């Protein structure tokens, strides 16, 4: 019961965040209230009110209110089980008092039901109350590579989407575009130098530092000075490194990654083994 109460409190916190936005709060309230048959029946009978709330053709009726017992039905049920007269009323009062006493006893044992510290053997799943969309995190990053005799200075512009599967970890996919920027300040010109497909995973180590790893396939169609058929058009990279994340504002986070490509010596022509990336998540 304590575990359920904990997750219930966490769900309430999620709703509080939604209700900070008045429009989202109104939409959520209308979604919930439209599921109540009695409300739809009332709106159907009072069409002018229904038009104000944009409720079209509510089909609920009193016949759909099954399971909602009236006062007379409750009294008849009590009489069938306990009989009638003052003794029946006394028996109901006694049982209500016992139930209230039991509930007070439980409350005294669990004074703070939304505190996980009260349950030493319980490790709450912080992501349990998050929806699929709330677990998604979108971002972008950029990586530069210096020029050499085979290709110009390039900047890899990437976009990515990550799924937070744990409070400390996430995994995702991304796409990158390799932009050529010339060979120096005296020879600046932009060109398309290929693209890449990325997969990655990161795990929180301590504080704002994360262990980051990934596998990538990069496509670069042309190399200057390399005979046709010698250079690899598709190269694979296996990356592992450390990332530092920091908060910019309430909606935007920055990150810096230093990664080592342990497959760099398989590239023809060979590329730099160390990758430095700067990016943002939102």
């Amino acid at each position: 019961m304590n575990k359920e109460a904990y997750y219930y409190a966490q769900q309430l916190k999620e709703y509080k965040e939604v209700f900070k936005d008045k429009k989202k709060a109104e939409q959520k309230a209308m979604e919930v209230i439209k599921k109540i048959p009695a409300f739809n029946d009332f709106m159907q009978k009072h069409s002018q009110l229904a038009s104000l709330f944009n409720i079209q053709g509510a089909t609920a009726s009193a016949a759909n209110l099954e399971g909602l017992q009236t006062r007379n039905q409750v009294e008849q049920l009590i009489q069938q089980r306990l009989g009638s007269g003052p003794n029946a009323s006394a028996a109901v009062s006694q049982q209500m008092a016992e139930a209230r006493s039991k509930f007070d006893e439980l409350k005294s044992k669990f004074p703070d039901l939304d505190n996980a510290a009260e349950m030493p053997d319980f490790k709450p799943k912080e992501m349990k109350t998050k929806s699929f969309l709330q677990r998604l995190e979108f971002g972008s990053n950029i990586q530069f590579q210096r020029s050499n005799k085979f290709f110009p200075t390039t900047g890899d512009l990437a976009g990515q989407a990550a799924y937070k599967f744990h409070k400390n970890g996430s995994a995702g996919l991304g796409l990158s575009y390799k932009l050529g920027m010339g060979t120096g300040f005296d020879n600046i010109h932009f060109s398309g130098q290929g693209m890449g497909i990325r997969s990655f995973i990161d795990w929180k180590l301590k504080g704002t530092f994360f262990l980051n790893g990934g596998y990538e396939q990069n496509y670069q169609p042309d190399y200057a000075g390399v005979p046709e058929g010698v250079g690899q058009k598709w190269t694979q990279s296996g990356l592992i490194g450390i990332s530092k994340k920091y908060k910019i504002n309430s909606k935007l986070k920055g990150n810096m990654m230093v990664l080592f490509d342990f497959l760099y010596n398989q590239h023809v022509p060979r590329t730099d083994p160390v990758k430095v990336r700067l990016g943002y998540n939102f």
Side-chain angles (χ1 to χ4, degrees):
M1 185 181 72
N2 213 5
K3 293 178 183 179
E4 292 300 324
Y6 174 85
Y7 287 126
Y8 176 73
Q10 296 301 311
Q11 190 67 63
L12 287 180
K13 291 179 182 179
E14 295 291 334
Y15 284 135
K16 287 180 181 178
E17 293 297 323
V18 173
F19 291 157
K20 287 181 180 179
D21 188 328
K22 291 184 178 180
K23 291 185 178 179
K24 289 183 178 179
E26 291 174 0
Q27 293 175 357
K28 190 66 177 179
M30 290 305 300
E31 288 177 6
V32 173
I33 202 170
K34 285 180 181 179
K35 296 178 181 179
I36 302 175
F39 174 79
N40 290 328
D41 182 56
F42 176 82
M43 286 299 180
Q44 185 181 25
K45 294 178 180 178
H46 301 80
S47 58
Q48 292 181 347
L49 284 175
S51 63
L52 292 176
F53 288 92
N54 194 27
I55 297 177
Q56 304 294 333
T59 58
S61 64
N64 292 329
L65 301 180
E66 297 178 359
L68 298 180
Q69 297 172 322
T70 65
R71 180 184 179 88
N72 291 334
Q73 290 175 328
V74 173
E75 291 177 349
Q76 291 176 5
L77 181 61
I78 293 175
Q79 290 177 2
Q80 291 175 2
R81 296 199 175 183
L82 301 177
S84 58
N87 292 335
S89 300
V92 172
S93 299
Q94 182 180 355
Q95 291 181 9
M96 291 293 293
E98 291 177 356
R100 191 179 298 108
S101 176
K102 190 65 176 179
F103 184 72
D104 291 339
E105 181 182 347
L106 290 173
K107 287 176 62 178
S108 65
K109 290 182 179 180
F110 306 102
D112 190 6
L113 291 178
D114 64 348
N115 187 357
E118 298 293 330
M119 300 170 283
D121 297 328
F122 172 52
K123 296 181 180 180
K125 299 177 182 179
E126 295 188 8
M127 306 306 297
K128 183 173 181 177
T129 58
K130 301 286 187 180
S131 66
F132 177 80
L133 292 178
Q134 289 174 325
R135 294 190 185 207
L136 290 181
E137 187 176 56
F138 300 94
S140 62
N141 59 64
I142 186 170
Q143 164 193 305
F144 294 102
Q145 183 169 302
R146 60 187 176 181
S147 64
N148 56 33
K149 63 180 180 179
F150 301 112
F151 40 73
T153 298
T154 56
D156 289 44
L157 310 175
Q160 64 186 38
Y163 176 76
K164 201 169 182 65
F165 61 86
H166 189 273
K167 66 175 182 177
N168 293 328
S170 61
L173 299 171
L175 294 173
S176 64
Y177 173 75
K178 193 177 293 290
L179 176 67
M181 296 180 288
T183 57
F185 288 106
D186 58 342
N187 182 26
I188 297 176
H189 66 275
F190 298 104
S191 60
Q193 294 294 319
M195 51 84 69
I197 303 172
R198 300 177 177 181
S199 62
F200 62 90
I201 184 171
D202 65 0
W203 186 266
K204 184 176 182 180
L205 294 176
K206 186 176 182 181
T208 57
F209 289 92
F210 289 73
L211 177 66
N212 193 286
Y215 175 79
E216 302 177 358
Q217 287 277 357
N218 296 287
Y219 175 74
Q220 191 158 350
D222 299 310
Y223 299 92
V226 177
E228 187 175 351
V230 176
Q232 295 175 316
K233 291 186 179 297
W234 283 96
T235 57
Q236 57 182 347
S237 296
L239 303 171
I240 189 167
I242 300 294
S243 65
K244 161 75 173 178
K245 297 184 179 182
Y246 52 93
K247 185 176 182 180
I248 298 176
N249 55 44
S250 60
K251 295 184 178 180
L252 194 63
K253 301 176 184 177
N255 63 77
M256 181 179 69
M257 292 178 282
V258 179
L259 305 168
F260 178 78
D261 183 2
F262 54 83
L263 298 179
Y264 79 98
N265 56 0
Q266 299 180 9
H267 299 173
V268 180
R270 187 168 294 181
T271 58
D272 291 335
V274 178
K275 316 290 185 184
V276 178
R277 295 174 178 173
L278 301 174
Y280 299 94
N281 293 328
F282 49 88

